[in-house]
Structure formats: C-alpha cells, structure tokens
Amino acid sequence: GEGSSSTKDLVDEVMQFAESKTYKERQLFLFMCEGIIADPRTAVAQSQVFKKELLPKMIELANDRIVNIQLAFSKHIFPRLLSVVEGKEGGEGGTAATTSNSSDDARCTWLLPVENVQKIKEMLISNKDSDVKSFAKLGNSIDLAKSNALIKEGRDLVKSLEEKLRERKGREEREALDEKAPPPPQSAPPPNPKTGNDMVVEAIEKEEEEEEEEKGQ
C-alpha cells in the first residue's frame, strides 16, 4: 500500500547515509538506526524493508574500516540489541525473546535471533580496539539514557527526511497533473500591425471606390 511504499522511500533515503564515503554520515546512519530500534513500535521498525535492508547494513558497520564507526556500533547499537533480546526493552509492538524453545521463531526477538546477537558480541569482544572491546563487554549495563540526545538527533533527522520525501512526492504529483492537463486554448494570433505601404494601398482603393460611386450617380 501507500504506507509501505513511503516506508520503502524513507529506508532508501536513510540507506544513502549507510553507503556514504564520509564516515560522519555512516555514523549518523547508526544513530538513526538507534533511534528506530529504541522504539520498536514505529512503522519503520516493524517494516520488512527495515529488517531486510537497513538491519543487515547496520550490522555490517560493526566491521567498518573506521574505528569510530565500530565504536559507535559497540557503544550505541549493541546495547540496544542486547536490551531487546534480554527483555529490558520493547514496547507493545516489540516483544523480547521468550524462554520457550518450542520453535526457532520463539527464540527470535522482533529484530534478530538471539544466536546472531551472540555472534555479534563475540566479534566485538575480539576487536583490536580496546574501547570497542570494553563497550561490548559492558553490554547493556551501559546507561542508555545517556544516548537520549543522540537518539533525538537521529529521530529528528529521520523526520526531516520524511518531510523532504513528502515535499518531493507532492511536487511530483503536481508536475504529473500539469502534464495531464489539456493545453490552454490557442487564441487567434493578433493581426499584424499595418505597414506604411498597406495604409497607402488602402487609401488609394478607397479613393477609387468613391470615384466609382460618383460616376455611378
């Protein structure tokens, strides 16, 4: 529907940050993702397009070539993943992992299977950078409230992207209507202004007509 297509458009916009050559923009991408997964009830967080496109990219950045990106992941994203898995987060729309092991699905969070989160933890703890490693070991004992300002920035950025998309869509709709509209009726071209020659010819013709009339009388 229209909602899913607008979510897809938004995800495409956010993805441009993930694929940016500038590390600051990739870092912003992680902060936007933190804002999304911090509230799993949102339409974006619950969308398949988020899980299929943004989520793999988000996890991929745990191995980014720039240490600051790895650190942002370890400090901001990883604790969120753990919080969801261990039931410290997740509102009405996002339930944490259940203790039931009756099926694989039962052991999956709304976001990632527990096993995947464990693999991410092992990867971060084996990181060469001591800060990345130490934040991974701290896990969700990190005070996530300290991220609130960054989360707000991330969400504000997502909102501004949504607004930009709405404006673009409105502009495209208006342009499409303009293309479909019938062309304005063409009015008859204005008569050419008379030249001096035309006026002389008219005056001669008028004199001849008057002479003919006088002869007729």
Side-chain angles (χ1 to χ4, degrees):
E2 189 179 334
S4 61
S5 69
S6 61
T7 300
K8 174 73 171 74
D9 291 342
L10 178 61
V11 166
D12 288 345
E13 287 287 318
V14 174
M15 188 65 91
Q16 289 182 25
F17 286 81
E19 293 169 348
S20 171
K21 291 180 180 178
T22 308
Y23 93 89
K24 288 275 188 188
E25 291 194 348
R26 298 199 301 281
Q27 195 172 46
L28 270 177
F29 167 77
L30 287 180
F31 295 150
M32 283 190 275
C33 285
E34 185 184 15
I36 292 168
I37 64 178
D39 187 1
R41 293 164 292 186
T42 62
V44 178
Q46 291 292 332
S47 69
Q48 285 303 310
V49 71
F50 169 74
K51 293 173 187 175
K52 287 178 181 175
E53 294 185 32
L54 287 191
L55 192 58
K57 197 69 188 176
M58 180 183 84
I59 292 163
E60 190 183 306
L61 289 182
N63 274 324
D64 193 89
R65 65 185 184 277
I66 302 293
V67 173
N68 280 7
I69 303 296
Q70 300 169 17
L71 186 58
F73 185 96
S74 186
K75 187 177 179 181
H76 296 279
I77 300 297
F78 181 59
R80 296 281 170 192
L81 297 178
L82 280 180
S83 294
V84 174
V85 168
E86 296 177 9
K88 295 187 180 181
E89 227 174 292
E92 299 158 5
T95 55
T98 168
T99 53
S100 166
N101 58 4
S102 57
S103 71
D104 287 342
D105 288 343
R107 292 185 293 114
C108 289
T109 70
W110 67 279
L111 199 58
L112 278 175
V114 178
E115 294 84 354
N116 289 29
V117 177
Q118 188 58 38
K119 284 177 187 173
I120 293 168
K121 181 176 184 178
E122 289 166 8
M123 179 187 69
L124 291 172
I125 287 175
S126 63
N127 193 292
K128 292 176 184 176
D129 185 84
S130 58
D131 288 333
V132 173
K133 195 179 294 189
S134 60
F135 278 118
K137 286 177 179 175
L138 282 171
N140 60 1
S141 62
I142 292 172
D143 183 5
L144 293 175
K146 289 180 179 176
S147 293
N148 285 346
L150 282 174
I151 288 175
K152 184 179 183 306
E153 280 181 31
R155 285 177 179 163
D156 287 348
L157 188 52
V158 171
K159 280 179 187 173
S160 70
L161 290 174
E162 282 182 302
E163 187 61 38
K164 188 172 84 171
L165 284 170
R166 275 196 293 271
E167 287 175 7
R168 186 196 301 167
K169 191 174 180 184
R171 188 169 62 248
E172 286 170 356
E173 284 173 356
R174 287 193 298 273
E175 286 171 359
L177 285 173
D178 288 344
E179 284 175 13
K180 288 178 186 174
Q186 290 185 345
S187 53
N192 291 327
K194 291 177 181 176
T195 63
N197 279 348
D198 293 333
M199 294 170 79
V200 170
V201 169
E202 279 182 12
I204 292 171
E205 287 175 351
K206 191 175 181 184
E207 281 179 15
E208 287 174 350
E209 282 172 14
E210 287 172 355
E211 284 175 8
E212 289 293 327
E213 282 176 13
E214 283 175 6
K215 283 179 187 175
Q217 291 170 4

